[in-house]
């Protein structure tokens, strides 16, 4: 073998080792995406194609929107090294408060929605104050909050359901964006095609690919070793294909749900904050090592306080959306929601010890939980078995996280 052959063989071996090491260090990220795809394929087969029917995809978004919205805030709380057990009770309390304001007191939705969001912020601030400045463990404070606001919901509603709500309020959850491109129906000879959904899917997929290429070029310019090109192509092809496919499916039903737009905008905002701002980097530093973060000049107490304020606001928004979907407020609204939200964040790759986790991972984790709930319901699996299966999936995700840490350590 001459020198050129040896050099080529050495470079090939280096590439294989580089690809293998990259996959090993990012196994959780790719694993969750592949797990979601595998779960969807499985339920699509066993439900005889029901899972990916347009009406069921729409229901998936409607049923899981409030979980995903809360998962965005819960990720920040868990990354900062804390937990919030009160979010389910806050959802029920805010929904009950909105019902009393609109149905019993006659308030308009333009007063009710800001007032309820302000109440959610106040709840988050009250809990965050004791956690951040008095150093009381978040588990204890939010457990107390869970009991307090569950009782407050019963007190507000007097043990009864209150509703229905005005049509404008229901549109928060069950409304759809009007089609701005109706001429596409005639162009493609499809009577039930929503042109806005199709165009939105293509634009979003194209934007993600463009942002990925730009980020890859920027990393190369700064000499940063990034994702292997083959992984980049496969990942972007899967994500873009999934977005266009879902957009097409939605276009054949009623188009884009309002909650999907709300969820998408919030996901983009929180992904930007966590990955591209000083505030986001400080939250990760706080969860990674609080003492080191404080010594470096980060105001850890204020940062912890703000993560709980944010969580309270998102829990209030989720409470409004959930109440709008049910078109009534019930004393049992929000029961066990905190378990689904926390499970989604951990399944999506967040670490129990803080400092690790991504917004996209939390969204993927929420969809994994949502697809499992939906698929098992279509199959007729009882709620008892559903709870057991979800518990085992959560345990497996945490064990996987601990195993990876021990292996890397």
């Amino acid at each position: 073998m001459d020198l050129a052959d040896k050099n080529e063989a050495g470079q090939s071996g280096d590439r294989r080792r580089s690809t293998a090491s990259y996959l090993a260090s990012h196994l959780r990220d790719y694993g969750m995406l592949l797990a979601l795809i595998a779960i969807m394929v499985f339920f699509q087969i066993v439900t005889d194609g029901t899972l990916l029917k347009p009406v069921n995809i729409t229901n998936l978004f409607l049923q899981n929107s409030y979980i995903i919205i809360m998962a965005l805030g819960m990720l920040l709380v868990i990354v900062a090294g804390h937990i919030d057990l009160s979010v389910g009770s806050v959802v029920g309390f805010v929904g009950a408060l909105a019902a009393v304001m609109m149905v019993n007191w006659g308030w308009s939705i333009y007063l009710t929605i800001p007032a309820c969001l302000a109440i959610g912020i106040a709840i988050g601030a009250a809990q965050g104050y004791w956690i951040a400045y008095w150093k009381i463990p978040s588990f204890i404070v939010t457990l107390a909050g869970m009991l307090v606001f569950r009782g407050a919901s019963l007190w507000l509603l007097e043990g009864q359901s209150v509703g229905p709500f005005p049509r404008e309020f229901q549109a928060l959850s069950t409304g759809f964006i009007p089609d701005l491109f109706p001429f596409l129906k005639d162009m493609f000879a499809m009577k039930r095609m929503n042109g806005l959904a199709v165009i939105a899917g293509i634009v979003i997929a194209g934007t993600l690919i463009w942002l990925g290429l730009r980020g890859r070029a920027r990393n190369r310019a700064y000499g940063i070793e990034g994702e292997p090109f083959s992984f980049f192509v496969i990942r972007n092809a899967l994500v873009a294909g999934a977005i266009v496919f879902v957009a097409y499916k939605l276009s054949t039903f009623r188009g884009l749900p309002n909650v999907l737009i709300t969820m998408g905008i919030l996901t983009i905002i929180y992904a930007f904050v966590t990955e591209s701002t000083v505030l986001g980097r400080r939250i990760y530093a706080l969860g990674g090592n609080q003492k080191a973060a404080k010594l470096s000049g980060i105001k850890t107490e204020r940062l912890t306080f703000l993560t709980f304020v944010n969580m309270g606001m998102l829990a209030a928004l989720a409470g409004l959306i959930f109440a709008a979907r049910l078109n009534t407020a019930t004393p049992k609204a929000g029961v066990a929601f905190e378990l689904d939200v926390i499970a989604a964040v951990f399944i999506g790759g967040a670490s129990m010890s803080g400092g690790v986790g991504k917004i996209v991972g939390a969204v993927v984790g929420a969809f994994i939980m949502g697809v499992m709930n939906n698929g098992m319901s279509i199959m007729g699996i009882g709620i008892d078995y559903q709870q057991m299966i979800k518990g085992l999936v959560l345990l497996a995700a945490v064990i996987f996280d601990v195993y990876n840490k021990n292996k890397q350590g």
Side-chain angles (χ1 to χ4, degrees), residues 29 60 67 77 85 92 98 122-123 125 161 193 199 261 273 307 378:
D29 298 335
L60 271 172
I67 299 296
V77 170
L85 301 177
I123 290 171
S161 298
M193 180 178 177
I199 291 177
I261 303 301
V273 169
T307 58
I378 294 173

Side-chain angles (χ1 to χ4, degrees), residues 10-11 28 39 64 93 97 176 188 203 224 243 250 254 264 268 340 347 370 381:
Q11 291 174 0
R28 191 65 185 267
I39 290 170
N64 295 285
F93 173 72
L97 185 61
F176 290 80
F188 292 96
V203 169
I224 300 174
I243 290 173
L250 292 176
R254 296 180 63 185
I268 292 170
D340 283 340
I347 289 172
I381 296 176

